[in-house]
Amino acid sequence: MAVDYLVIVVYLAGMLAMGWWGMRRARSKSEFLVAGRRLGPAMYSGTMAAIVLGGASTIGGVGLGYQYGLSGAWMVFTIGLGLLALSVFFSARIARLKVYTVSEMLDLRYGGGRAGIISGLVMWAYTLMLAVTSTIAYATIFDVLFDINRTLAIVLGGSIVVAYSTLGGMWSITLTDMVQFVVKTIGVLLLLLPIAVVKAGGFAEMKAQLPTEYFDPLGIGGETIFTYVLIYTFGMLIGQDIWQRVFTARSDRTAKWGGTIAGTYCLAYALAGAVIGTAAKVLYPKLGSADDAFATIVKDELPMGVRGLVLAAALAAVMSTSSGALIACATVANNDIWSRLRGTGGNTPAGDHDEVKGNRAFILLMGLAVIGTAIAIDNVVEALTVAYNLLVGGLLVPILGGLVWKRGTVYGALASVVVGGVAVVVLMATHGVLANEPVYYGLLASLAAYVVVSLATPATDAAVLAAWRERLAGRPAELASEPVPASQ
C-alpha cells in the first residue's frame, strides 16, 4: 500500500498547491466567485462535469449497479439529462444575466428584492446539505486508505477542501476541478471499468452468473426513474452550485456547448458506474451493503499504484462536488442573506478588495459548519434527499416560471417558495424523508400557488420586465449587479 499512499498524498498536496496558485488570481469579487467569467469551452466542460459527478455519482452509482444491474445507471443518467437540458435550453440566458446567485436572478425578474431573501434561505439550506453529504463520503474513502475513524476522516478531507476553496475561491476550485476531472476519467473510465469487467469474466460470464433483470434497462422501476427525474434532472436546472459554474463561462456559446459536452460525459459515466457495480456483484455476491462495492473491488482487484489512482479518483469526485457546494453555500449566505440583512444588497463594486475578504471569510465559516454537521449526521442518502426535496419543491417553479412565463409575479413567486417548501417539510415529517410524496405533492402545491397567486395579483411592472429582457439579451441595464465588460 506504500505506493498507493504516496499517490494519494501527492494528489492531496497538489490540491493545496492549486489553492495557493488560485489565490494569486482571485483579486476581485468576480474573480473570486465566478473566475472572472473567463472560462473557455475545455475548462468549462471539465469543471462542470467534475462538480455534478460527486461521491454519490461514483460510489453511489457503483452501489446502484451492484443492487440493480445496468438500470442502476438511472440516477447518474438523470443528472446528465438535467445538465443537457440546462445547457441546451437555459444556460445561454443564465450566463447573459451577469449575476452571482439564483436569488439575484429572481430579484431581476420579479423586482423589489422581496423574493430574494426567502429563496436565499431555501437555496442556502440546499447547498449546505449538499456540501455535508459530500463531506460525509470522505469517511468511506479514508477508512479504506488509512483505517482511521469517521470523525478524523471527515475533518481531514473537509479541511483540505475548505483550505483551497478559502484561499482562491472559484479560481482554486476551477483549477482543482480540472485535475479532478482528469483523475476521474483515468481512474474510473479508463482503468476501473475495463479491469472490473475482465475480472468478472467478461459480459458473457456476467450474464450467465446474474438474473436477467440485472440487464433490464428499466429494472430499477418506473416510479424510481420518475422520482430521479423530478429530483435530479430538475435539480440540475436550478441549483446554485450549478448556476455558479454557468456564470464562469466566457460566453453564452461556451455555456451552451461546453455544458452539452459535460452532460454527454455524465451519460457515459452513469453507464460505467452501473457496469462496474454489476461486475462487483459477480465477484462479491454477498456484500453487507451495496455502497461497499466500490471500495471492495478497488481494494481487492486492482494492482498497487493503480489502486491509489482509482482511490484518488473517488476522492476527486467527492472533493469536486464538496468544493462547488461549499462556495455556493458561502456565496448565498453572504450575498443573498447577510448582505440583505445589512441593507447593502451585495452590490459593492466588483473591484473592492473587501468583497474578496468577506467572501473568503464566509467560505471558511460555512466550511466549519459543513464539517461539524457532517460529523453529526450519519445517513448521507437522507441528507441528500432533504437537500433536493427542498430545492425542487420550493424553487423549481418560481425559477423556471420566471424564465418562461411573463405573467408570473413576485407575490406568486413568494407564495410558490413558501407553500412548496412547507409542503415538502410537512410531508417529509409525516411520510418519511425517503418517501416519494414530499417532492410529488410539494411540487404540485408550489405550481398551484404560483399560478393562482400570480393571476390574482397585478402583473410585474413593465419597467422591471423591460430591464429583465435587456439582461436576457446580454445588454447592460439599470438593475445590473455588476458592469458588463465592453468586450463581451
Side-chain angles (χ1 to χ4, degrees):
M1 287 288 286
V3 175
D4 298 324
Y5 291 158
L6 180 62
V7 171
I8 298 297
V9 169
V10 169
Y11 168 75
L12 294 177
M15 295 300 97
L16 292 174
M18 291 289 185
W20 185 263
W21 185 23
M23 183 177 67
R24 301 173 61 187
R25 304 193 65 169
R27 300 183 183 277
S28 70
K29 179 180 178 180
S30 177
E31 296 282 351
F32 191 83
L33 294 182
V34 290
R37 308 188 194 276
R38 292 191 296 176
L39 298 192
M43 187 167 283
Y44 178 86
S45 299
T47 58
M48 182 62 88
I51 188 177
V52 301
L53 296 174
S57 299
T58 303
I59 299 171
V62 171
L64 287 171
Y66 182 89
Q67 189 172 0
Y68 297 105
L70 298 186
S71 67
W74 273 105
M75 184 187 77
V76 183
F77 200 82
T78 55
I79 290 173
L81 292 178
L83 186 52
L84 284 171
L86 174 72
S87 301
V88 172
F89 299 112
F90 299 108
S91 63
R93 285 185 281 178
I94 293 170
R96 288 195 292 264
L97 290 174
K98 304 298 181 194
V99 295
Y100 292 109
T101 68
V102 174
S103 294
E104 287 182 31
M105 167 263 168
L106 292 173
D107 283 351
L108 289 172
R109 167 58 182 83
Y110 296 109
R114 284 165 290 189
I117 192 165
I118 296 178
S119 63
L121 288 168
V122 176
M123 189 64 76
W124 175 79
Y126 157 72
T127 53
L128 178 72
M129 294 307 292
L130 185 63
V132 166
T133 59
S134 300
T135 304
I136 291 173
Y138 294 127
T140 300
I141 300 169
F142 280 106
D143 177 57
V144 174
L145 283 172
F146 305 119
D147 193 26
I148 59 179
N149 70 63
R150 178 180 183 275
T151 298
L152 183 58
I154 288 171
V155 171
L156 176 60
S159 296
I160 293 171
V161 170
V162 171
Y164 72 69
S165 301
T166 302
L167 284 172
M170 186 59 82
W171 267 123
S172 292
I173 292 169
T174 296
L175 294 171
T176 55
D177 276 359
M178 277 305 297
V179 175
Q180 290 159 356
F181 171 73
V182 172
V183 170
K184 278 193 290 192
T185 301
I186 295 173
V188 176
L189 295 183
L190 301 184
L191 292 175
L192 182 57
L193 174 61
I195 290 174
V197 172
V198 169
K199 291 283 187 178
F203 286 105
E205 183 64 19
M206 290 163 62
K207 284 187 175 182
Q209 292 288 332
L210 296 173
T212 55
E213 55 263 28
Y214 264 72
F215 302 92
D216 180 356
L218 302 179
I220 199 170
E223 185 177 357
T224 299
I225 295 170
F226 181 67
T227 302
Y228 284 160
V229 170
L230 279 185
I231 293 177
Y232 297 114
T233 301
F234 287 133
M236 287 295 107
L237 299 180
I238 59 175
Q240 169 68 25
D241 52 321
I242 309 302
W243 278 40
Q244 199 155 343
R245 291 310 173 96
V246 175
F247 300 151
T248 66
R250 184 169 61 198
S251 65
D252 52 10
R253 182 177 176 84
T254 296
K256 181 176 181 178
W257 293 110
T260 301
I261 292 171
T264 304
Y265 177 90
C266 291
L267 303 183
Y269 199 88
L271 184 58
V275 171
I276 293 167
T278 304
K281 184 67 175 179
V282 173
L283 295 167
Y284 313 99
K286 295 183 180 181
L287 287 178
S289 169
D291 285 339
D292 292 336
F294 179 88
T296 303
I297 196 170
V298 169
K299 191 174 182 179
D300 293 351
E301 302 298 335
L302 299 186
M304 185 174 57
V306 174
R307 181 170 52 225
L309 183 59
V310 174
L311 286 172
L315 269 178
V318 175
M319 285 184 164
S320 56
T321 300
S322 181
S323 59
L326 176 59
I327 193 171
C329 180
T331 302
V332 170
N334 189 15
N335 285 258
D336 293 337
I337 300 174
W338 177 242
S339 293
R340 292 171 193 272
L341 293 175
R342 289 192 306 156
T344 59
N347 291 329
T348 306
D352 188 348
H353 183 64
D354 287 342
E355 282 290 287
V356 175
K357 291 170 60 179
N359 281 291
R360 184 172 282 137
F362 265 87
I363 289 181
L364 179 59
L365 181 64
M366 291 299 106
L368 294 175
V370 165
I371 291 172
T373 307
I375 292 171
I377 292 178
D378 281 330
N379 196 313
V380 63
V381 175
E382 288 192 0
L384 189 64
T385 302
V386 169
Y388 274 98
N389 280 352
L390 284 172
L391 178 70
V392 174
L395 290 179
L396 177 69
V397 171
I399 292 171
L400 294 190
L403 288 170
V404 302
W405 190 41
K406 67 179 182 180
R407 186 59 182 83
T409 70
V410 65
Y411 299 105
L414 286 170
S416 180
V417 173
V418 173
V419 171
V422 169
V424 164
V425 171
V426 170
L427 288 167
M428 283 193 295
T430 56
H431 289 72
V433 170
L434 299 179
N436 292 326
E437 286 83 359
V439 70
Y440 290 173
Y441 297 118
L443 191 56
L444 288 174
S446 179
L447 177 61
Y450 182 69
V451 173
V452 171
V453 176
S454 291
L455 292 175
T457 53
T460 304
D461 185 85
V464 172
L465 286 178
W468 168 253
R469 286 192 291 269
E470 289 292 299
R471 289 296 287 270
L472 283 179
R475 295 185 290 269
E478 289 183 7
L479 294 177
S481 67
E482 70 173 87
V484 180
S487 61
Q488 295 185 3

